[in-house]
Amino acid sequence: MLSLYLHIPFCRRKCPYCDFYSVENGGRLLDEYPSLLIRHMERSAERNLWSGPCDTLFFGGGTPSLLAPEAIGSLLRRVQEAFGFSEKAEITLEANPGTVSSSSLDGYRARGVNRISFGIQSLNQVNLTSLGRLHSPGDARRSIEWAHKAGFENVSADLMFGLPGQKTSDFMGEVSELLSLGVKHLSLYGLTIEENTPFYHLHRKGDLPLPEEDTFREMYLALHDHLEKEGLVHYEISNFARPGYECRHNLNYWRRGGYLGVGAGAHGFTSEDWGARFSVPADLQTYERTLAAGEDPEVLLETFDRRGAMSETLYLGLRMREGIREKAFRRRFGAGVAESFPREISRLADYLVLREGRWRMEVSGWLIYDHIISEFL
Ligand code: SF4
Protein backbone atom coordinates (compact mmCIF):
# COMPACT_ATOMS: atom_id res chain seq x y z
CA MET A 1 0.00 0.00 0.00
CA LEU A 2 1.23 3.45 -0.87
CA SER A 3 0.98 6.67 1.09
CA LEU A 4 1.46 9.68 -1.13
CA TYR A 5 2.09 13.27 -0.09
CA LEU A 6 1.76 16.06 -2.68
CA HIS A 7 3.16 19.41 -1.63
CA ILE A 8 1.49 22.53 -3.05
CA PRO A 9 3.85 25.38 -2.13
CA PHE A 10 1.69 28.40 -2.93
CA CYS A 11 -0.14 30.78 -0.62
CA ARG A 12 -2.12 33.95 -1.23
CA ARG A 13 -0.02 35.72 1.36
CA LYS A 14 2.69 34.48 3.70
CA CYS A 15 1.58 34.33 7.37
CA PRO A 16 4.10 35.97 9.72
CA TYR A 17 4.53 32.89 11.96
CA CYS A 18 4.92 30.27 9.22
CA ASP A 19 8.20 28.68 8.17
CA PHE A 20 6.75 26.10 5.73
CA TYR A 21 7.99 26.37 2.20
CA SER A 22 5.48 28.32 0.12
CA VAL A 23 5.59 31.29 -2.21
CA GLU A 24 3.10 34.10 -2.65
CA ASN A 25 1.42 34.65 -6.00
CA GLY A 26 2.64 31.61 -7.91
CA GLY A 27 1.61 33.15 -11.26
CA ARG A 28 2.75 31.02 -14.20
CA LEU A 29 4.22 28.38 -11.90
CA LEU A 30 0.91 27.81 -10.14
CA ASP A 31 -0.68 26.98 -13.51
CA GLU A 32 2.19 24.73 -14.59
CA TYR A 33 2.81 23.09 -11.25
CA PRO A 34 0.32 20.17 -11.62
CA SER A 35 2.15 19.01 -14.77
CA LEU A 36 5.45 19.07 -12.82
CA LEU A 37 3.88 16.95 -10.12
CA ILE A 38 2.66 14.50 -12.75
CA ARG A 39 6.14 14.27 -14.27
CA HIS A 40 7.63 13.70 -10.81
CA MET A 41 5.09 10.96 -10.03
CA GLU A 42 5.73 9.28 -13.38
CA ARG A 43 9.47 9.15 -12.63
CA SER A 44 8.75 7.56 -9.25
CA ALA A 45 6.34 5.04 -10.78
CA GLU A 46 8.83 4.12 -13.55
CA ARG A 47 11.55 3.33 -11.05
CA ASN A 48 9.26 0.76 -9.46
CA LEU A 49 10.39 1.77 -6.00
CA TRP A 50 6.83 2.34 -4.93
CA SER A 51 3.96 0.02 -5.54
CA GLY A 52 0.27 0.68 -5.21
CA PRO A 53 -2.50 0.76 -4.55
CA CYS A 54 -2.49 4.17 -2.97
CA ASP A 55 -4.25 3.97 0.39
CA THR A 56 -3.74 7.51 1.62
CA LEU A 57 -3.09 10.66 -0.35
CA PHE A 58 -2.56 14.08 1.18
CA PHE A 59 -2.51 17.39 -0.67
CA GLY A 60 -0.59 19.56 1.81
CA GLY A 61 0.89 23.00 1.66
CA GLY A 62 1.01 25.82 1.26
CA THR A 63 -2.57 26.17 0.20
CA PRO A 64 -3.68 23.25 -1.99
CA SER A 65 -7.11 24.83 -2.40
CA LEU A 66 -5.45 27.40 -4.70
CA LEU A 67 -5.51 24.57 -7.28
CA ALA A 68 -8.81 24.37 -9.12
CA PRO A 69 -10.89 21.17 -8.85
CA GLU A 70 -9.96 20.35 -12.48
CA ALA A 71 -6.23 20.37 -11.57
CA ILE A 72 -6.82 18.22 -8.49
CA GLY A 73 -8.92 15.89 -10.67
CA SER A 74 -6.16 15.46 -13.26
CA LEU A 75 -3.63 14.68 -10.50
CA LEU A 76 -5.95 12.08 -9.01
CA ARG A 77 -6.50 10.51 -12.44
CA ARG A 78 -2.73 10.24 -12.88
CA VAL A 79 -2.32 8.61 -9.45
CA GLN A 80 -5.08 6.18 -10.42
CA GLU A 81 -3.22 5.27 -13.65
CA ALA A 82 0.20 4.99 -12.01
CA PHE A 83 -0.67 3.24 -8.74
CA GLY A 84 -4.43 2.71 -8.46
CA PHE A 85 -6.36 3.45 -5.27
CA SER A 86 -7.38 1.04 -2.54
CA GLU A 87 -11.10 0.57 -2.05
CA LYS A 88 -11.24 2.83 1.04
CA ALA A 89 -8.46 5.25 0.11
CA GLU A 90 -8.34 8.38 2.26
CA ILE A 91 -7.82 11.44 0.05
CA THR A 92 -7.25 14.66 1.97
CA LEU A 93 -7.05 18.21 0.71
CA GLU A 94 -5.83 21.03 2.95
CA ALA A 95 -7.87 24.14 2.29
CA ASN A 96 -7.98 27.67 3.59
CA PRO A 97 -11.33 29.32 4.18
CA GLY A 98 -11.46 32.29 1.84
CA THR A 99 -9.94 30.27 -1.00
CA VAL A 100 -12.90 27.91 -1.41
CA SER A 101 -16.46 28.36 -2.60
CA SER A 102 -19.49 26.16 -2.51
CA SER A 103 -18.83 25.13 -6.11
CA SER A 104 -15.08 24.48 -5.69
CA LEU A 105 -15.86 22.19 -2.74
CA ASP A 106 -18.50 20.40 -4.85
CA GLY A 107 -15.82 20.03 -7.53
CA TYR A 108 -13.17 18.56 -5.19
CA ARG A 109 -15.68 16.09 -3.75
CA ALA A 110 -16.94 15.07 -7.21
CA ARG A 111 -13.35 14.30 -8.28
CA GLY A 112 -12.70 11.96 -5.37
CA VAL A 113 -11.35 14.05 -2.48
CA ASN A 114 -13.07 12.58 0.59
CA ARG A 115 -11.44 14.41 3.50
CA ILE A 116 -11.02 18.13 3.82
CA SER A 117 -8.82 19.84 6.37
CA PHE A 118 -9.46 23.54 6.92
CA GLY A 119 -6.74 25.85 8.23
CA ILE A 120 -9.15 27.79 10.43
CA GLN A 121 -6.68 28.74 13.20
CA SER A 122 -9.21 30.84 15.09
CA LEU A 123 -12.85 31.88 15.09
CA ASN A 124 -11.93 35.24 16.56
CA GLN A 125 -11.28 38.15 14.20
CA VAL A 126 -8.70 39.80 16.48
CA ASN A 127 -6.63 36.60 16.55
CA LEU A 128 -6.98 36.06 12.80
CA THR A 129 -5.78 39.61 12.14
CA SER A 130 -2.79 39.24 14.46
CA LEU A 131 -1.91 35.93 12.74
CA GLY A 132 -2.03 37.68 9.37
CA ARG A 133 -4.75 35.37 8.07
CA LEU A 134 -6.84 36.57 5.17
CA HIS A 135 -10.11 34.89 6.10
CA SER A 136 -12.76 35.93 8.59
CA PRO A 137 -14.59 33.80 11.18
CA GLY A 138 -17.61 33.97 8.84
CA ASP A 139 -15.54 32.52 5.95
CA ALA A 140 -14.51 29.66 8.25
CA ARG A 141 -18.07 28.84 9.30
CA ARG A 142 -19.34 29.06 5.73
CA SER A 143 -16.57 26.80 4.41
CA ILE A 144 -17.48 24.05 6.87
CA GLU A 145 -21.13 24.35 5.95
CA TRP A 146 -20.36 24.21 2.21
CA ALA A 147 -18.09 21.20 2.72
CA HIS A 148 -20.90 19.29 4.41
CA LYS A 149 -23.32 20.29 1.65
CA ALA A 150 -20.78 19.08 -0.93
CA GLY A 151 -20.91 15.64 0.73
CA PHE A 152 -17.74 15.74 2.83
CA GLU A 153 -18.45 13.67 5.87
CA ASN A 154 -14.85 13.82 7.07
CA VAL A 155 -14.09 17.47 7.86
CA SER A 156 -11.09 18.48 9.94
CA ALA A 157 -10.13 21.87 11.34
CA ASP A 158 -6.79 23.27 12.48
CA LEU A 159 -6.98 25.65 15.39
CA MET A 160 -4.20 27.49 17.24
CA PHE A 161 -3.87 28.16 20.95
CA GLY A 162 -1.39 30.02 23.11
CA LEU A 163 -2.01 33.17 21.04
CA PRO A 164 -1.19 36.65 22.38
CA GLY A 165 -3.86 37.64 24.89
CA GLN A 166 -5.95 34.50 24.33
CA LYS A 167 -8.00 33.24 27.28
CA THR A 168 -8.62 29.53 27.91
CA SER A 169 -12.39 30.08 28.11
CA ASP A 170 -12.50 31.89 24.73
CA PHE A 171 -10.47 29.17 23.07
CA MET A 172 -12.68 26.43 24.52
CA GLY A 173 -15.70 28.30 23.15
CA GLU A 174 -14.18 28.14 19.65
CA VAL A 175 -13.50 24.42 20.01
CA SER A 176 -17.11 23.80 21.10
CA GLU A 177 -18.42 25.82 18.18
CA LEU A 178 -16.40 23.75 15.71
CA LEU A 179 -17.83 20.57 17.21
CA SER A 180 -21.34 21.96 16.93
CA LEU A 181 -20.62 22.70 13.25
CA GLY A 182 -20.05 18.96 12.79
CA VAL A 183 -16.26 18.86 12.47
CA LYS A 184 -15.06 15.28 13.06
CA HIS A 185 -11.34 15.91 13.54
CA LEU A 186 -9.39 18.70 15.22
CA SER A 187 -5.68 19.50 14.98
CA LEU A 188 -4.84 21.90 17.78
CA TYR A 189 -1.44 23.53 17.73
CA GLY A 190 0.22 25.81 20.21
CA LEU A 191 1.76 28.86 18.56
CA THR A 192 5.50 28.31 18.30
CA ILE A 193 7.99 30.95 17.31
CA GLU A 194 10.08 29.78 14.35
CA GLU A 195 13.36 31.37 13.43
CA ASN A 196 13.48 33.60 10.37
CA THR A 197 9.81 34.54 10.54
CA PRO A 198 8.43 38.04 11.22
CA PHE A 199 6.97 36.70 14.52
CA TYR A 200 10.46 35.65 15.61
CA HIS A 201 11.79 39.19 15.22
CA LEU A 202 8.74 40.71 16.93
CA HIS A 203 9.13 38.26 19.81
CA ARG A 204 12.82 39.07 20.21
CA LYS A 205 12.02 42.75 20.40
CA GLY A 206 9.45 42.03 23.11
CA ASP A 207 6.55 43.10 20.89
CA LEU A 208 4.75 39.76 20.90
CA PRO A 209 3.63 38.86 24.41
CA LEU A 210 2.89 35.13 24.56
CA PRO A 211 1.01 33.36 27.36
CA GLU A 212 3.03 32.02 30.30
CA GLU A 213 3.93 28.35 30.29
CA ASP A 214 1.29 27.70 32.98
CA THR A 215 -1.47 29.17 30.80
CA PHE A 216 -0.33 27.04 27.89
CA ARG A 217 -0.37 23.97 30.11
CA GLU A 218 -3.82 24.86 31.46
CA MET A 219 -5.17 25.22 27.90
CA TYR A 220 -3.74 21.90 26.77
CA LEU A 221 -5.08 19.96 29.75
CA ALA A 222 -8.48 21.69 29.52
CA LEU A 223 -8.65 20.73 25.87
CA HIS A 224 -7.84 17.12 26.61
CA ASP A 225 -10.53 16.85 29.31
CA HIS A 226 -13.17 18.73 27.35
CA LEU A 227 -12.74 16.87 24.07
CA GLU A 228 -12.54 13.44 25.66
CA LYS A 229 -15.78 14.22 27.53
CA GLU A 230 -17.30 15.18 24.17
CA GLY A 231 -16.42 11.71 22.87
CA LEU A 232 -13.32 12.55 20.80
CA VAL A 233 -10.16 10.50 21.09
CA HIS A 234 -6.94 12.36 21.83
CA TYR A 235 -5.10 10.01 19.49
CA GLU A 236 -1.92 12.03 19.00
CA ILE A 237 -0.26 14.91 20.87
CA SER A 238 -2.00 17.56 18.76
CA ASN A 239 -4.87 15.61 17.20
CA PHE A 240 -8.36 14.67 18.32
CA ALA A 241 -10.96 12.72 16.35
CA ARG A 242 -14.36 11.18 16.61
CA PRO A 243 -13.73 7.41 16.67
CA GLY A 244 -13.01 6.18 13.16
CA TYR A 245 -12.02 9.64 11.88
CA GLU A 246 -8.33 9.55 12.84
CA CYS A 247 -6.13 10.71 9.95
CA ARG A 248 -4.73 7.50 8.48
CA HIS A 249 -2.16 9.36 6.40
CA ASN A 250 -0.58 10.95 9.47
CA LEU A 251 -0.84 7.76 11.52
CA ASN A 252 1.36 6.13 8.89
CA TYR A 253 4.06 8.81 9.50
CA TRP A 254 4.03 8.23 13.23
CA ARG A 255 4.09 4.45 12.75
CA ARG A 256 7.19 5.04 10.66
CA GLY A 257 5.61 3.70 7.49
CA GLY A 258 7.04 4.61 4.09
CA TYR A 259 5.57 7.39 1.98
CA LEU A 260 6.34 9.03 -1.28
CA GLY A 261 6.71 12.81 -1.17
CA VAL A 262 6.11 14.66 -4.43
CA GLY A 263 6.54 18.39 -5.07
CA ALA A 264 9.01 21.15 -4.25
CA GLY A 265 9.72 21.08 -0.51
CA ALA A 266 8.16 17.61 0.01
CA HIS A 267 9.73 14.90 2.15
CA GLY A 268 9.58 11.15 1.68
CA PHE A 269 10.58 8.11 3.69
CA THR A 270 11.31 4.51 2.84
CA SER A 271 11.12 1.95 5.62
CA GLU A 272 13.33 -0.54 3.72
CA ASP A 273 16.28 -1.78 5.80
CA TRP A 274 16.42 0.59 8.80
CA GLY A 275 14.88 3.46 6.83
CA ALA A 276 15.97 6.49 4.83
CA ARG A 277 14.57 9.99 4.45
CA PHE A 278 14.50 12.02 1.25
CA SER A 279 13.67 15.61 0.54
CA VAL A 280 12.90 17.59 -2.55
CA PRO A 281 14.68 20.97 -2.47
CA ALA A 282 12.33 23.75 -1.46
CA ASP A 283 12.83 25.81 -4.57
CA LEU A 284 10.36 25.89 -7.44
CA GLN A 285 12.85 26.93 -10.12
CA THR A 286 15.26 24.12 -9.18
CA TYR A 287 12.36 21.68 -9.14
CA GLU A 288 11.26 22.71 -12.61
CA ARG A 289 14.83 22.60 -13.98
CA THR A 290 15.63 19.19 -12.50
CA LEU A 291 12.50 17.62 -13.92
CA ALA A 292 13.04 19.27 -17.33
CA ALA A 293 16.55 17.77 -17.39
CA GLY A 294 15.06 14.31 -16.77
CA GLU A 295 16.67 14.01 -13.34
CA ASP A 296 15.22 12.86 -10.01
CA PRO A 297 14.35 15.81 -7.81
CA GLU A 298 14.83 13.91 -4.50
CA VAL A 299 18.00 14.10 -2.49
CA LEU A 300 18.90 11.69 0.27
CA LEU A 301 18.58 13.41 3.63
CA GLU A 302 19.59 10.66 6.05
CA THR A 303 19.86 6.91 6.36
CA PHE A 304 19.22 5.14 9.62
CA ASP A 305 21.20 2.44 11.36
CA ARG A 306 19.52 0.00 13.72
CA ARG A 307 19.96 2.24 16.77
CA GLY A 308 18.66 5.30 14.95
CA ALA A 309 15.63 3.38 13.72
CA MET A 310 14.91 2.16 17.27
CA SER A 311 15.05 5.72 18.67
CA GLU A 312 12.83 7.10 15.96
CA THR A 313 10.30 4.29 16.31
CA LEU A 314 10.10 5.12 19.96
CA TYR A 315 9.78 8.86 19.86
CA LEU A 316 7.36 8.88 16.93
CA GLY A 317 5.31 6.08 18.51
CA LEU A 318 5.08 7.95 21.80
CA ARG A 319 3.29 10.79 20.03
CA MET A 320 0.29 8.46 19.62
CA ARG A 321 -2.24 7.25 22.13
CA GLU A 322 -1.70 3.72 20.75
CA GLY A 323 2.00 3.96 21.67
CA ILE A 324 4.44 1.22 20.68
CA ARG A 325 3.67 -2.47 20.84
CA GLU A 326 6.45 -4.15 22.80
CA LYS A 327 6.08 -7.40 20.81
CA ALA A 328 6.33 -5.62 17.45
CA PHE A 329 9.36 -3.62 18.61
CA ARG A 330 11.10 -6.80 19.77
CA ARG A 331 10.26 -8.59 16.51
CA ARG A 332 11.66 -5.73 14.43
CA PHE A 333 14.82 -5.03 16.45
CA GLY A 334 15.53 -8.29 18.29
CA ALA A 335 15.36 -6.56 21.69
CA GLY A 336 12.63 -4.99 23.83
CA VAL A 337 12.21 -1.28 24.62
CA ALA A 338 13.36 -1.42 28.26
CA GLU A 339 16.46 -3.45 27.54
CA SER A 340 17.37 -1.19 24.61
CA PHE A 341 16.91 2.08 26.53
CA PRO A 342 17.25 1.18 30.24
CA ARG A 343 18.57 4.56 31.45
CA GLU A 344 16.11 6.62 29.42
CA ILE A 345 13.13 4.52 30.51
CA SER A 346 14.02 4.78 34.19
CA ARG A 347 14.57 8.56 33.93
CA LEU A 348 11.16 8.95 32.29
CA ALA A 349 9.30 6.56 34.60
CA ASP A 350 6.82 9.26 35.66
CA TYR A 351 5.63 9.78 32.10
CA LEU A 352 5.90 6.40 30.38
CA VAL A 353 3.79 3.35 31.10
CA LEU A 354 3.80 -0.19 29.78
CA ARG A 355 0.14 -1.17 29.72
CA GLU A 356 -1.49 -4.07 27.88
CA GLY A 357 1.78 -4.74 26.04
CA ARG A 358 2.18 -1.17 24.79
CA TRP A 359 4.49 1.64 25.82
CA ARG A 360 2.54 4.85 26.09
CA MET A 361 3.07 8.37 27.26
CA GLU A 362 0.77 10.02 29.79
CA VAL A 363 -0.88 13.29 28.70
CA SER A 364 1.41 15.06 31.22
CA GLY A 365 4.34 13.63 29.24
CA TRP A 366 3.00 15.05 25.97
CA LEU A 367 3.30 18.50 27.54
CA ILE A 368 7.06 18.02 27.75
CA TYR A 369 7.42 15.88 24.62
CA ASP A 370 10.37 17.90 23.28
CA HIS A 371 12.30 17.24 26.47
CA ILE A 372 11.36 13.55 26.36
CA ILE A 373 12.46 12.97 22.79
CA SER A 374 15.78 14.64 23.52
CA GLU A 375 16.46 11.63 25.78
CA PHE A 376 16.32 9.35 22.75
CA LEU A 377 18.29 11.46 20.31
S1 SF4 B 1 -1.54 29.74 4.67
FE1 SF4 B 1 -0.58 28.08 5.85
S2 SF4 B 1 1.20 27.42 4.65
FE2 SF4 B 1 0.51 29.43 3.84
S3 SF4 B 1 1.79 30.91 4.90
FE3 SF4 B 1 -0.09 30.73 6.08
S4 SF4 B 1 0.32 29.13 7.61
FE4 SF4 B 1 1.93 29.00 6.05
Side-chain angles (χ1 to χ4, degrees), residues 10-11 13-15 17-18 20 22 61-63 96 121 133:
F10 303 96
C11 291
R13 186 173 75 195
K14 198 75 197 161
C15 304
Y17 58 89
C18 174
F20 290 142
S22 66
T63 308
N96 279 339
Q121 316 314 351
R133 305 294 303 206

Side-chain angles (χ1 to χ4, degrees), residues 162-165 191-193 199 203 207-213 215:
L163 302 178
L191 174 65
T192 50
I193 302 297
F199 265 28
H203 188 52
D207 290 342
L208 191 71
L210 294 179
E212 297 294 321
E213 226 172 80
T215 313

